[in-house]
Amino acid sequence: MKKPVNLGQKLSLFSEQWKPKIIASYNGNDVMVVKIKGEFTWHSHADTDDFFHVLKGKLKIKLRDGDVELGPGEIYIVPKGVEHCPVAEEEVHLLLVEPAGTPNTGDMATAAKKEYL
Amino acid sequence: MKKPVNLGQKLSLFSEQWKPKIIASYNGNDVMVVKIKGEFTWHSHADTDDFFHVLKGKLKIKLRDGDVELGPGEIYIVPKGVEHCPVAEEEVHLLLVEPAGTPNTGDMATAAKKEYL
């Protein structure tokens, strides 16, 4: 019997924040889980949309033309090139999808290293 | 204030089975919810991986070299070209990601028409 990826089990394996963990691959995209708390930096991705799916907690994504707030079971896709700044007052667990190699800050110089989990 | 996509709300809008509903777009991929019950047909996608995320219920994906069973909060990505057959004994709610235009049966002649929700 093959095994699926269990998101809760993957999230139980680490506690560090702001370090995306790759849990699967889809057509050259990294499917990742991450824990975040606090405010990120304003950034954009010139070449890709940014897929956010909240698994736990409340996430605010600040946008220049109006914020969006997401709770568990909610998705928001920031379009390519659009500046955004994720904010989590309490810890938030996210499922992310990004093309492999995409820097989370929009800049390889400051990006977190993504690890396989 | 912008609105996220609420998966539960989207799923409350329809009851028909086997008709994927497009709820968002990510880099040319359709992000969809679907309700299924019963056994699908064996098929494969020559050009794309197939992303399954179970939101509710228990899904079996039959594969030629061993089945995989998924519950809520579990993901399985069927690699490109791999024959598979989804089976749901009771109704299952899924989040799917596929390149826009991908036929759900692997064949445009028999594919369900995907609608925007």
Side-chain angles (χ1 to χ4, degrees):
Chain A
M1 180 81 77
K2 293 173 188 291
K3 290 258 182 204
V5 174
N6 184 294
L7 299 176
Q9 186 266 334
K10 291 294 188 187
L11 284 159
S12 75
L13 298 178
F14 67 98
S15 57
E16 56 182 356
Q17 296 170 337
W18 301 107
K19 303 282 190 192
K21 310 293 183 189
I22 300 169
I23 56 163
S25 291
Y26 162 75
N27 288 349
N29 292 268
D30 291 332
V31 180
M32 298 169 286
V33 289
V34 67
K35 297 181 177 183
I36 66 171
K37 184 177 176 185
E39 181 157 345
F40 205 53
T41 50
W42 279 95
H43 68 286
S44 63
H45 304 283
D47 300 320
T48 182
D49 299 337
D50 213 0
F51 180 108
F52 294 85
H53 180 168
V54 173
L55 301 172
K56 181 179 164 189
K58 282 196 107 169
L59 175 71
K60 181 189 285 188
I61 303 175
K62 296 202 282 184
L63 299 158
R64 296 299 186 192
D65 63 348
D67 301 341
V68 58
E69 288 188 357
L70 296 82
E74 294 189 321
I75 286 175
Y76 192 78
I77 296 173
V78 179
K80 180 164 70 172
V82 169
E83 279 190 297
H84 57 284
C85 178
V87 183
E89 286 195 23
E90 299 298 330
E91 185 172 86
V92 169
H93 298 179
L94 295 172
L95 181 68
L96 303 174
V97 184
E98 280 180 350
T102 300
N104 63 336
T105 55
D107 177 358
M108 287 310 288
T110 56
K113 187 172 172 345
K114 294 170 189 169
E115 293 166 357
Y116 286 85
L117 192 66
Chain B
M1 180 80 79
K2 293 173 188 290
K3 291 256 182 206
V5 174
N6 184 295
L7 299 175
Q9 187 265 333
K10 292 294 189 186
L11 284 159
S12 75
L13 298 178
F14 68 98
S15 57
E16 54 181 357
Q17 296 170 338
W18 300 106
K19 302 284 189 189
K21 311 292 184 190
I22 299 169
I23 56 162
S25 291
Y26 163 75
N27 288 349
N29 292 267
D30 292 331
V31 180
M32 297 169 287
V33 288
V34 67
K35 297 180 177 182
I36 66 171
K37 183 177 175 183
E39 180 158 343
F40 205 53
T41 50
W42 278 95
H43 67 286
S44 63
H45 304 282
D47 300 320
T48 182
D49 299 338
D50 213 0
F51 179 107
F52 293 85
H53 180 168
V54 173
L55 301 171
K56 181 180 164 188
K58 281 195 109 171
L59 175 70
K60 181 190 284 188
I61 303 175
K62 295 202 283 184
L63 299 159
R64 296 299 188 194
D65 64 348
D67 301 341
V68 58
E69 287 188 356
L70 297 82
E74 294 189 321
I75 286 174
Y76 192 78
I77 295 173
V78 178
K80 180 163 68 173
V82 170
E83 278 191 296
H84 57 286
C85 178
V87 183
E89 285 195 24
E90 300 298 329
E91 185 172 87
V92 169
H93 298 179
L94 294 173
L95 181 68
L96 304 174
V97 184
E98 280 181 351
T102 301
N104 63 335
T105 55
D107 177 357
M108 287 310 287
T110 54
K113 185 171 171 351
K114 294 171 189 169
E115 293 165 359
Y116 285 85
L117 192 67

